[in-house]
Amino acid sequence: DIVMTQSPDSLAVPLGERATINCKSSQSLLYDSNNKNYLAWYQQKPGQPPKLLIYWASTRESGVPDRFSGTGSGTDFTLTISSLQAEDVAIYYCQQYFRTLAITFGQGTRLEIE
Amino acid sequence: QLQLQESGPGLVKPSQTLSLNCTVSGASITSSSYYWGWIRQSPTQGLEWIGNFFFRGNTNYNPSLKSRVTISVDTSKNQFSLELTSVSAADTAVYYCVRRPHNIYCTGPSCYFDYWGQGTLVTVSS
């Protein structure tokens, strides 16, 4: 299975500042035939299911604020919140779906307000 | 508006079978544009994909659970179900029903998940 490792496990950022979460996969998620990275990001607030934020590593889901952005390729990916808002407090997960039955998620990163 | 609603017993005894239903409203599970399936979440295992189906195609299961899992479909109720046999405490989790796209880039067994139900907690205990 492809192992997804997020860093840090938790972070605290002041309101209005940039938050950066990293995700590293144990093998490349870039499919050469279509040049797409099979990587998604989710946000989970307490008592709620995960919500899709980003797919194909950098495509924002409809309705997701543009302060959320995804970058990276191959094995290293980043979710950035450009200006942290109070409603962004949550746990964030990355997920790989690289043409395999063994879909896997990262362990999660808890984001709080400093 | 799309809604996925899980239902089923919240408590299952060890060695018995866990059975859950997912009722879908606002979309048809026979659509050629989506797969439908199950994911679970526990404090120990994190998020774990269980399996999914495409109405006009096949059903895929997580290899680690394949021997114990069955996903079935009831189109008359626009509903699909999960059965997990021989459960143990390790199967205690919140179970979510989910939807994933089927398109030119997500043609294989895997994709991202764009809609999730609210989830239902299933505890395995005697």
Side-chain angles (χ1 to χ4, degrees):
Chain A
D1 290 2
I2 299 175
V3 177
M4 307 300 291
T5 304
Q6 293 181 228
S7 62
D9 288 333
S10 64
L11 77 160
V13 174
L15 283 172
E17 296 296 305
R18 179 185 301 262
T20 300
I21 298 170
N22 301 302
C23 177
K24 188 174 184 66
S25 60
S26 60
Q27 66 184 68
S28 178
L29 303 182
L30 176 62
Y31 187 48
D32 292 340
S33 294
N34 58 23
N35 201 37
K36 286 189 173 297
N37 285 281
Y38 283 58
L39 188 283
W41 289 98
Y42 299 85
Q43 174 194 65
Q44 186 175 30
K45 297 181 179 180
Q48 296 185 19
K51 172 190 173 184
L52 178 66
L53 295 177
I54 303 280
Y55 54 95
W56 302 125
S58 61
T59 301
R60 201 178 302 115
E61 172 71 332
S62 176
V64 173
D66 61 6
R67 64 180 180 274
F68 290 90
S69 63
T71 58
S73 184
T75 61
D76 293 281
F77 301 89
T78 300
L79 175 69
T80 301
I81 307 172
S82 60
S83 177
L84 189 68
Q85 306 299 305
E87 62 265 31
D88 300 334
V89 170
I91 300 176
Y92 292 83
Y93 296 93
C94 59
Q95 176 225 333
Q96 66 79 18
Y97 48 100
F98 188 71
R99 307 179 65 77
T100 172
L101 278 175
I103 296 164
T104 49
F105 293 83
Q107 81 277 16
T109 295
R110 185 180 300 272
L111 175 59
E112 299 174 331
I113 305 294
E114 185 178 284
Chain B
Q1 183 171 347
L2 178 65
Q3 287 191 320
L4 289 75
Q5 181 65 57
E6 304 88 351
S7 60
L11 181 64
V12 181
K13 294 185 187 313
S15 79
Q16 293 191 343
T17 297
L18 179 160
S19 297
L20 296 173
N21 294 319
C22 178
T23 302
V24 178
S25 57
S28 173
I29 62 173
T30 63
S31 170
S32 60
S33 299
Y34 300 103
Y35 278 66
W36 307 85
W38 295 93
I39 287 173
R40 68 182 184 180
Q41 183 175 30
S42 68
T44 52
Q45 299 282 357
L47 287 159
E48 183 178 28
W49 173 72
I50 299 171
N52 56 26
F53 73 92
F54 182 60
F55 183 71
R56 302 186 183 202
N58 55 352
T59 302
N60 305 123
Y61 299 118
N62 187 324
S64 68
L65 297 170
K66 186 175 182 178
S67 63
R68 298 194 293 132
V69 174
T70 302
I71 294 176
S72 56
V73 179
D74 185 342
T75 57
S76 67
K77 297 179 180 179
N78 208 38
Q79 185 178 82
F80 59 96
S81 302
L82 170 70
E83 282 200 344
L84 181 66
T85 62
S86 304
V87 299
S88 68
D91 296 308
T92 294
V94 175
Y95 286 75
Y96 297 101
C97 51
V98 295
R99 186 186 83 169
R100 54 144 282 199
H102 173 65
N103 54 44
I104 61 170
Y105 298 117
C106 278
T107 56
S110 307
C111 195
Y112 53 88
F113 303 97
D114 63 351
Y115 268 94
W116 299 57
Q118 284 300 304
T120 187
L121 173 63
V122 178
T123 301
V124 179
S125 175
S126 55

